[in-house]
Amino acid sequence: MWLNPEEVLLKNALKLWVTEKSNDFFLLQRRRGHGDSGGKFTGLLVGALDTVLDSNARVTPFRILLQVPGSQISWAIACGAAVEEMNRHWDWLVQNLLPSLSVFENKEDVASFVKGKVKGLIAEEVTGRQAAQEVDPEKFRGSLLKFELRFGLPSSEKLVTTYSCCCWKSRVPRQGWLYLSINHMAFYSFLLGKEVKFVIPWAEVTRLERVSTGLMTDMVRVTTRQRQRDFSMFLSLDEAFRVMCQLADIALRRLLDSGGLELDRDLQQSSNITKRVLEEQALRAYVLALFRLPRDERLHEAAHCSMWTPHARSHTAGTLYTTDHYLCFSSRDESRCSLLIPLSEVISVEKAESTSVLPNPVIISVRSKKAFQLIELQDRDSLVDSITTRLRPFQWRHSTFRSKKSLASSAPYYTFCYDTMYCDGKEIEERPLRHAVNTEALMACYHHSQPDPNNCTSTMEQMKERLWDDHFSEYGRGIHMFHTEKIQKLVAMGIPESLRGELWMTFSDASSELASHPDYYSRLVTESMGQSNLATEEIERDLHRSLPDHPAFQNVIGIAALRRVLTAYAQRNPKIGYCQSMNILASVLLLYTKEEEAFWLLVTVCERMLPDYFNRRVIGAQVDQSVFEELIRERLPELAEHIPDLSSLSTISLSWFLTLFLSVLPFRSAVCVVDCFFFHGTKAIFQLGLAVLEANAAALCASVDDGQALMILTGFLDQVKYDEDTSPVASQPPSSQSGEEGDPPVEQHTLITDLIAGSYEKFGDLTVKQIERLRCRHRIQVLQAHEDTTKENALRVVTSDVSISPENLSDVYNLFKTEHFINLYWGDGSTTVALQTHDPSRPYVDQYRVDRAQFKSLYVLLVPWLCGLHTDTVAHRTFTLLDQDGDSFITFREFAGWLDTLYCKELNEKIRLLYCLHIPPALTDSEDGESSLKSPLLSTSRPLHLQLPVGEMKTYQEQLKQMLKDLAKEKEHVDKPLPLMNQREFIQFCKTLYSMFHGIPDEIELFQAIATVTSLVLQIGEVGHRCRSSGSDVSGNEDVDDEHREGNQEDQPVFGTKGEETGKESEYGSEWTVSFAQILASLLTEQQLVNFFEKPMDLSAKLAEAKLKQYHERAELLSLQEGTR
């Protein structure tokens, strides 16, 4: 075990220890007298000494020392009684630590680094033991306290686990601790007096991968949009990497693709996520993929056991998985043996007498007269009780409705000699009536219309049917049939057409769904009749494009059946509705199954076997293409070396996955691929895709462009033939023959059975577990690629509306999105539902929105002029002004337009914005209208004081005349007149200006300038007020009155008596009012104010500062709020 480093003086220790292994920095030593067979005196003396000593003082026989070259002092860092354990520790040191120690110039730093690493390993081992013991979360209190203190995140940021590791900076490792929480990964290191710490949100992680470099053979590389970081020297790198991938995947699905977490109920509440929950979710995802179960199934137990397999005449070791509606068994090698038992078919689960040969046996009896035996169940009693509890609703439903489902077993079949009930083999079970239009598969009506002159096809079909009959007699038939390597070989040969529909239903478990939902399909058909929507319109367009050359879809019957199946599914799942390629798949299903069975097969494919494939963004298909690219690099390295950019190949292979090769292979060959798909799931498509690329690797390496690669693969797939394709037949679509006359290698054909067999032989070691782990990791890249596309399009739309530079606009978008995410990270539960999910279907600029509280946070970070205690009020009014549609949200377009006005617009636009903030709707009646301004500022008797050249004087009337003319010119550029501002609103306007100037260097000069402007505007407003009160245009001033009588229409709005004021008399009456033009003209008279508003402001510096403050300020605020609750 690892030891807390202790000093050892080598001079006195050499006589008691023998060095077994050594290098420049470490020694593996054995205690003298332990393991010696020579009987030397020194060894005997040391051995006797160790035997006499008290047990607490005895020394372990092995230890590992850290030594610094040139020093007589070393440190004991590990000890143990078994040489195997010490060898493991030694190997870990040599592989993980030794290569990196050479970079230290000061040898004393080596000792500090290694001791810190060993202490981290000890703490990690303790944490791992605590987690294994399933103790309460108090065990993590110390780590959690350090996490909160070091990074300043609020307590709502739940810590999941910690790992001791090294973070590499250039070629220097920094030993520290990696903290993994639900929304972030954080690293902290304090070594040699230098502190290193950083926080990376999972939302910024674009790639997670394991890499090897010159110094380290295995590291975790975390890539963000800004940089990449490497971590190594984990005690358990596999576990750490798996947890990191899971947390990043969950966070991104919650933030960017919330629909992907709809059915993962344990993950919807992020506060419930723990390390154990992550392990359970990884196992659940594997079980759902292995047995193709519904995505909402919950995993209850995973029990190691052995099942009696009659075909092997022995017990097969494996694992029993129990879910809401199924019992699933898989051997240790998942391809060797598996079994699926729906609980709806189970009669009883009983405990049998335990013996030495059959320890802890359990008997599972099903309705098809079968019984399955499990042994070696560790916690048998609780397992049986749990299954029995979930079984009761199914038994009650069966006894109430008496629904029986025949499994087409010609004779009773028993797993072992254990008969549950009598059966004469001639019982005919009643079938519930179903309102399906077509009760037969279309192939039964449109089979080969031209007889085979050589009768080869019928002979081959009969031979396959006999092989399957033999298999049924040995392995069983129906849903309870054992899935073994033998059945895999039969499927690879091609399922006979007479059994294809039945076996598709069995392999996919669609038969259970059909039995559990009587009359469901007919009800959907009835509900969908006569509806007209986007899905039905798309369906109608594609109906005649589905296998158009097949006779079954050249008449009304086939087209009507296809229409019913597709519209019924669109009715069932409106989130998917209808997507292209569903019509091709449904057409093939209708050829070999009844109409209702075809519907349930389509449900199984879209919702279980190919999740997230058939939607607007086809996330699932893109994830699998990314996985396929990695498999190409791993399994076909020469091809990957010649074609570095594999995206072109994945673009070609996308249709392979979406249509299960139905769109690229000849029809009868493609149906054989569908056989393998229903038996093995997407694993079969991956294997076959790799086999196709391997068969064409040489030609692809020699190709010069993507077009040539496409022609190579298309030509190869066109010539892949079915075993019995000796001549064209009427039931085969001519499209499968199209283009063959123009292909040069007409005589060369590849048999689909050979291609499938080769894929199993060369790539059959690919497991479902590997695919699921790759999907988890590559989903991160796909979601981030979609996010990059969203950002690019949003910036493209907004760029034309603003003058902000592209770099700054990109940073603004990041801040805006981060603020949206922060609310999801640490929201208190009061967040509006619209902000709790990310809706990719919204326009690009509207996908991220902020509410009032979030906007206020951004306002404080980015506004160029803070207003002290008045800031919150101004931010509140700004939000109200920008929220033009009244939905209480602000989009990125509106936010960017506001920033553009503050940083890039002219002075008059900035003043216009300030003006609008102090009139309705931004300023509401509920706000306090009392002003705290001093009384001299409200006086209207003060004369005008304008900054005029020396020696030039103007009377009050002359100044006012000139101002009116200037305002008339300014008004020509205003598109829409703004409402007038009353005295209460103007006082609020002045209050905002005063608060903006507080604390800046030119505070006194600006206060004087605003005092002058305030006095001027108050006098103008007073003049207008007197005019309206007396009913004359201008009261008490003949010169100004004459000026107005000259027909100067533009000047009329100044006093609010004509023009734009006419329609507002009912609103303002004789109230004191001023216009925007009057305020703007008054502000222009003060050069200090003009300089203040026209001063260039650095948005880049403001954004850089905001990036650093955003997390810190929000975290402090939330921590403060949590402390006051």
Side-chain angles (χ1 to χ4, degrees):
M1 63 179 180
W2 298 107
L3 293 176
N4 199 17
E6 300 176 353
E7 286 190 5
V8 174
L9 189 61
L10 289 180
K11 181 178 180 180
N12 299 328
L14 292 177
K15 297 180 181 180
L16 301 179
W17 295 88
V18 178
T19 300
E20 298 285 331
K21 299 179 181 179
S22 66
N23 54 44
D24 292 340
F25 295 98
F26 301 105
L27 298 174
L28 173 59
Q29 295 183 335
R30 172 179 55 82
R31 187 78 166 176
R32 287 187 183 275
H34 182 82
D36 286 343
S37 58
K40 294 182 179 180
F41 177 75
T42 306
L44 292 175
L45 181 62
V46 174
L49 178 64
D50 291 343
T51 303
V52 172
L53 288 175
D54 180 72
S55 60
N56 293 329
R58 290 178 185 173
V59 180
T60 55
F62 296 96
R63 70 179 184 180
I64 297 178
L65 300 181
L66 165 66
Q67 65 173 2
V68 176
S71 174
Q72 290 296 317
I73 298 178
S74 294
W75 291 267
I77 59 175
C79 67
V83 65
E84 294 81 6
E85 178 186 11
M86 300 309 296
N87 284 332
R88 286 197 301 270
H89 288 350
W90 178 266
D91 292 340
W92 191 91
L93 291 171
V94 171
Q95 294 175 7
N96 292 277
L97 280 186
L98 189 60
S100 59
L101 298 182
S102 59
V103 302
F104 291 94
E105 296 180 358
N106 188 350
K107 299 305 178 183
E108 294 181 358
D109 296 343
V110 173
S112 299
F113 174 76
V114 175
K115 287 190 290 185
K117 182 63 183 176
V118 171
K119 290 178 181 179
L121 293 176
I122 294 172
E124 189 171 341
E125 282 186 339
V126 173
T127 303
R129 287 195 296 271
Q130 292 174 351
Q133 295 171 359
E134 297 296 333
V135 280
D136 55 6
E138 293 296 328
K139 296 289 184 178
F140 291 96
R141 176 171 293 182
S143 297
L144 181 59
L145 181 61
K146 293 178 181 178
F147 176 65
E148 294 179 354
L149 292 177
R150 288 171 175 173
F151 303 104
L153 300 178
S155 59
S156 55
E157 180 64 21
K158 181 178 175 59
L159 179 66
V160 177
T161 187
T162 60
Y163 293 100
S164 173
C165 66
C166 284
C167 178
W168 289 78
K169 184 177 182 181
S170 184
R171 296 172 60 89
V172 179
R174 302 290 302 186
Q175 168 62 34
W177 283 91
L178 182 65
Y179 297 84
L180 304 181
S181 67
I182 54 178
N183 298 305
H184 305 82
M185 62 176 295
F187 179 79
Y188 180 86
S189 172
F190 187 83
L191 188 65
L192 305 178
K194 185 175 182 180
E195 183 183 59
V196 175
K197 66 177 181 180
F198 55 83
V199 177
I200 303 175
W202 293 122
E204 292 299 318
V205 174
T206 59
R207 183 184 294 267
L208 283 171
E209 54 188 339
R210 294 174 67 166
V211 297
S212 297
T213 62
L215 293 176
M216 299 301 301
T217 57
D218 205 358
M219 295 193 302
V220 175
R221 175 164 293 171
V222 180
T223 305
T224 65
R225 291 182 176 87
Q226 288 76 34
R227 60 177 303 173
Q228 64 182 27
R229 297 185 184 271
D230 294 333
F231 300 89
S232 66
M233 302 185 194
F234 292 91
L235 183 63
S236 177
L237 189 140
D238 291 338
E239 177 192 301
F241 185 66
R242 175 181 57 80
V243 173
M244 292 168 70
C245 289
Q246 282 186 276
L247 288 172
D249 176 50
I250 293 170
L252 288 175
R253 283 195 288 164
R254 187 176 73 251
L255 299 174
L256 305 181
D257 186 34
S258 54
L261 281 178
E262 285 183 353
L263 302 177
D264 294 334
R265 285 168 283 188
D266 293 335
L267 302 180
Q268 289 180 357
Q269 194 68 23
S270 58
S271 60
N272 295 332
I273 298 177
T274 63
K275 188 176 178 181
R276 181 175 179 179
V277 169
L278 294 177
E279 294 173 354
E280 293 174 349
Q281 287 300 314
L283 180 60
R284 172 180 174 270
Y286 165 67
V287 172
L288 296 187
L290 180 61
F291 295 97
R292 277 89 71 188
L293 302 181
R295 296 182 68 190
D296 58 350
E297 283 289 301
R298 290 178 300 175
L299 180 65
H300 293 279
E301 293 95 10
H304 296 290
C305 63
S306 296
M307 173 174 280
W308 176 257
T309 49
H311 54 274
R313 299 187 181 279
S314 64
H315 285 89
T316 300
T319 306
L320 176 69
Y321 305 99
T322 67
T323 68
D324 293 334
H325 301 91
Y326 295 91
L327 302 178
C328 314
F329 175 82
S330 174
S331 60
R332 292 175 180 172
D333 179 3
E334 64 184 36
S335 63
R336 180 182 175 189
C337 179
S338 63
L339 177 69
L340 181 68
I341 307 176
L343 283 179
S344 58
E345 296 294 325
V346 176
I347 296 176
S348 64
V349 180
E350 302 171 329
K351 292 178 287 186
E353 183 179 355
S354 181
T355 65
S356 59
V357 180
L358 301 175
N360 297 330
V362 171
I363 309 299
I364 302 174
S365 302
V366 298
R367 304 189 189 283
S368 59
K369 319 300 184 294
K370 300 178 184 178
F372 301 93
Q373 183 189 69
L374 300 170
I375 62 172
E376 299 177 347
L377 287 161
Q378 295 297 324
D379 195 3
R380 180 178 65 164
D381 294 341
S382 62
L383 177 65
V384 172
D385 292 342
S386 176
I387 297 175
T388 303
T389 301
R390 294 196 300 276
L391 185 59
R392 290 194 185 103
F394 296 97
Q395 293 175 331
W396 175 83
R397 190 179 304 131
H398 182 269
S399 61
T400 302
F401 297 100
R402 302 292 181 185
S403 59
K404 300 179 180 180
K405 181 68 178 176
S406 173
L407 294 179
S409 181
S410 59
Y413 172 77
Y414 305 101
T415 312
F416 49 95
C417 296
Y418 181 79
D419 197 349
T420 56
M421 63 180 68
Y422 173 77
C423 178
D424 59 4
K426 298 181 180 180
E427 179 182 355
I428 301 177
E429 298 186 357
E430 298 179 0
R431 297 175 180 268
L433 294 177
R434 305 191 184 279
H435 302 287
V437 178
N438 284 358
T439 57
E440 296 294 337
L442 294 179
M443 187 63 79
C445 304
Y446 301 96
H447 202 52
H448 305 298
S449 58
Q450 296 180 358
D452 185 358
N454 300 321
N455 206 23
C456 295
T457 301
S458 59
T459 302
M460 183 65 69
E461 287 287 308
Q462 291 172 5
M463 183 190 72
K464 291 181 180 180
E465 290 173 0
R466 285 196 298 270
L467 290 175
W468 277 98
D469 288 338
D470 294 341
H471 184 273
F472 291 150
S473 63
E474 184 178 1
Y475 292 84
R477 188 168 187 171
I479 190 63
H480 311 126
M481 177 172 53
F482 284 99
H483 293 191
T484 63
E485 294 176 347
K486 182 178 178 181
I487 198 173
Q488 172 183 305
K489 296 178 181 178
L490 291 176
V491 172
M493 292 172 57
I495 299 176
E497 291 190 352
S498 59
L499 297 174
R500 182 164 277 144
E502 174 191 343
L503 291 175
W504 285 0
M505 295 289 290
T506 299
F507 293 155
S508 65
D509 187 43
S511 56
S512 297
E513 294 287 340
L514 177 62
S516 303
H517 299 84
D519 301 329
Y520 178 75
Y521 173 67
S522 58
R523 186 168 65 252
L524 286 178
V525 171
T526 303
E527 293 174 358
S528 61
M529 282 184 178
Q531 290 192 5
S532 178
N533 49 48
L534 179 61
T536 58
E537 292 175 1
E538 293 178 346
I539 290 171
E540 290 298 327
R541 282 200 303 267
D542 289 346
L543 282 177
H544 296 280
R545 304 174 186 173
S546 310
L547 303 184
D549 299 315
H550 199 288
F553 297 100
Q554 293 175 347
N555 60 81
V556 177
I557 297 176
I559 294 297
L562 181 59
R563 177 186 292 110
R564 287 190 295 270
V565 169
L566 294 176
T567 54
Y569 184 79
Q571 181 74 15
R572 166 189 166 86
N573 193 342
K575 288 188 177 180
I576 293 179
Y578 169 78
C579 295
Q580 287 187 347
S581 77
M582 288 174 62
N583 59 321
I584 299 176
L585 180 58
S587 301
V588 176
L589 299 178
L590 282 168
L591 288 176
Y592 295 100
T593 61
K594 301 174 185 178
E595 187 174 318
E596 188 172 9
E597 293 174 340
F599 168 78
W600 284 111
L601 281 172
L602 183 64
V603 170
T604 302
V605 171
C606 295
E607 299 176 10
R608 293 200 205 177
M609 305 182 74
L610 296 177
D612 298 327
Y613 264 59
F614 301 97
N615 53 38
R616 191 177 66 90
R617 300 199 298 171
V618 291
I619 292 293
Q622 293 185 51
V623 170
D624 280 354
Q625 293 311 297
S626 185
V627 171
F628 190 53
E629 289 182 23
E630 178 160 336
L631 291 176
I632 294 173
R633 295 187 184 95
E634 178 184 337
R635 302 301 182 99
L636 304 173
E638 293 183 0
L639 178 61
E641 183 179 353
H642 283 82
I643 308 178
D645 185 10
L646 294 174
S647 59
S648 58
L649 292 181
S650 63
T651 302
I652 298 172
S653 63
L654 178 62
S655 63
W656 303 354
F657 286 78
L658 284 173
T659 65
L660 308 180
F661 281 90
L662 288 167
S663 62
V664 294
L665 280 175
F667 175 74
R668 300 185 69 184
S669 301
V671 173
C672 292
V673 178
V674 179
D675 294 341
C676 299
F677 169 75
F678 278 118
F679 182 71
H680 265 139
T682 48
K683 171 187 171 182
I685 308 300
F686 281 112
Q687 291 177 177
L688 188 61
L690 291 172
V692 170
L693 294 181
E694 186 196 39
N696 297 272
L700 290 173
C701 290
S703 62
V704 295
D705 54 29
D706 297 347
Q708 187 176 357
L710 176 61
M711 293 179 61
I712 291 171
L713 293 175
T714 302
F716 174 81
L717 293 172
D718 282 343
Q719 56 86 40
V720 175
K721 298 301 178 184
Y722 186 58
D723 285 347
E724 302 122 25
D725 260 350
T726 57
S727 61
V729 291
S731 65
Q732 180 176 345
S735 60
S736 64
Q737 309 286 338
S738 61
E740 293 182 5
E741 295 180 358
D743 293 337
V746 177
E747 295 80 8
Q748 298 179 0
H749 296 301
T750 301
L751 297 179
I752 185 61
T753 52
D754 293 342
L755 190 61
I756 292 175
S759 71
Y760 279 112
E761 179 182 353
K762 297 175 182 178
F763 309 107
D765 58 334
L766 181 65
T767 64
V768 174
K769 184 171 292 186
Q770 292 173 349
I771 293 174
E772 285 303 306
R773 288 180 178 176
L774 289 173
R775 281 174 169 172
C776 179
R777 182 155 56 88
H778 285 271
R779 191 181 294 111
I780 298 171
Q781 301 175 29
V782 172
L783 289 176
Q784 291 288 26
H786 276 270
E787 180 59 23
D788 291 340
T789 301
T790 299
K791 178 181 177 179
E792 291 172 3
N793 285 283
L795 296 181
R796 177 178 53 81
V797 172
V798 175
T799 299
S800 59
D801 300 335
V802 298
S803 302
I804 302 176
S805 67
E807 295 79 12
N808 286 342
L809 190 61
S810 176
D811 291 338
V812 171
Y813 182 91
N814 292 336
L815 282 173
F816 190 83
K817 184 179 72 171
T818 300
E819 190 65 34
H820 174 87
F821 286 166
I822 288 177
N823 192 68
L824 296 180
Y825 295 159
W826 307 318
D828 57 0
S830 60
T831 307
T832 310
V833 176
L835 291 181
Q836 293 177 354
T837 58
H838 176 249
D839 185 6
S841 63
R842 295 180 62 87
Y844 293 114
V845 293
D846 297 343
Q847 289 193 15
Y848 294 109
R849 298 178 291 172
V850 296
D851 59 14
R852 191 178 298 272
Q854 294 169 297
F855 174 78
K856 288 182 178 179
S857 298
L858 290 172
Y859 182 93
V860 173
L861 290 172
L862 295 177
V863 72
W865 315 300
L866 290 175
C867 301
L869 298 178
H870 197 52
T871 299
D872 186 76
T873 301
V874 179
H876 179 87
R877 295 174 187 166
T878 305
F879 181 88
T880 304
L881 179 65
L882 297 180
D883 182 23
Q884 298 179 1
D885 53 3
D887 62 352
S888 300
F889 300 116
I890 288 180
T891 65
F892 173 66
R893 183 202 293 268
E894 296 165 341
F895 185 79
W898 169 70
L899 272 185
D900 182 61
T901 300
L902 294 180
Y903 284 90
C904 303
K905 294 296 184 180
E906 299 293 336
L907 178 144
N908 60 333
E909 291 297 327
K910 297 177 183 179
I911 303 302
R912 184 184 181 90
L913 174 62
L914 283 173
Y915 182 90
C916 293
L917 291 177
H918 297 84
I919 59 175
L923 182 67
T924 60
D925 294 335
S926 60
E927 293 191 35
D928 184 13
E930 298 295 329
S931 174
S932 60
L933 300 178
K934 296 180 180 180
S935 56
L937 297 178
L938 298 177
S939 172
T940 61
S941 60
R942 294 180 59 181
L944 297 177
H945 294 282
L946 304 181
Q947 293 183 350
L948 299 175
V950 179
E952 182 178 349
M953 296 294 295
K954 286 189 177 182
T955 63
Y956 174 85
Q957 289 81 2
E958 292 174 341
Q959 295 177 31
L960 190 56
K961 289 180 183 180
Q962 184 63 39
M963 184 181 298
L964 294 176
K965 294 179 180 178
D966 295 339
L967 292 179
K969 296 178 181 179
E970 179 66 29
K971 183 172 177 57
E972 294 177 358
H973 304 287
V974 179
D975 296 330
K976 182 180 179 180
L978 295 174
L980 298 178
M981 179 180 287
N982 60 32
Q983 192 172 34
R984 168 183 168 271
E985 295 164 353
F986 177 69
I987 292 174
Q988 291 295 323
F989 179 84
C990 296
K991 184 178 179 181
T992 299
L993 289 178
Y994 270 90
S995 61
M996 286 170 55
F997 305 147
H998 182 70
I1000 63 176
D1002 299 333
E1003 177 182 1
I1004 298 177
E1005 292 82 358
L1006 288 170
F1007 279 170
Q1008 293 176 351
I1010 194 61
T1012 302
V1013 171
T1014 301
S1015 178
L1016 175 60
V1017 175
L1018 286 172
Q1019 293 179 57
I1020 294 175
E1022 187 66 24
V1023 171
H1025 175 64
R1026 292 172 184 172
C1027 292
R1028 287 189 296 273
S1029 299
S1030 62
S1032 62
D1033 290 334
V1034 180
S1035 177
N1037 192 307
E1038 293 299 330
D1039 293 334
V1040 175
D1041 182 69
D1042 293 338
E1043 185 73 22
H1044 276 278
R1045 294 183 186 278
E1046 292 177 359
N1048 209 349
Q1049 298 296 326
E1050 292 84 353
D1051 295 347
Q1052 295 173 4
V1054 175
F1055 298 104
T1057 57
K1058 296 182 182 179
E1060 66 176 282
E1061 305 344 299
T1062 304
K1064 304 195 179 290
E1065 283 189 23
S1066 59
E1067 179 181 354
Y1068 297 102
S1070 60
E1071 187 180 2
W1072 184 98
T1073 58
V1074 291
S1075 67
F1076 165 68
Q1078 292 169 336
I1079 292 178
L1080 176 61
S1082 301
L1083 288 172
L1084 292 175
T1085 61
E1086 293 292 333
Q1087 191 62 39
Q1088 286 285 350
L1089 294 176
V1090 173
N1091 294 340
F1092 176 81
F1093 285 107
E1094 288 189 342
K1095 180 181 178 181
M1097 291 172 289
D1098 189 356
L1099 179 58
S1100 301
K1102 199 71 174 178
L1103 290 170
E1105 182 183 1
K1107 290 179 186 178
L1108 299 176
K1109 290 183 177 180
Q1110 188 174 27
Y1111 259 57
H1112 180 69
E1113 292 187 356
R1114 283 299 301 273
E1116 283 187 348
L1117 177 62
L1118 288 167
S1119 299
L1120 183 63
Q1121 292 174 349
E1122 292 172 356
T1124 58
R1125 290 175 184 171

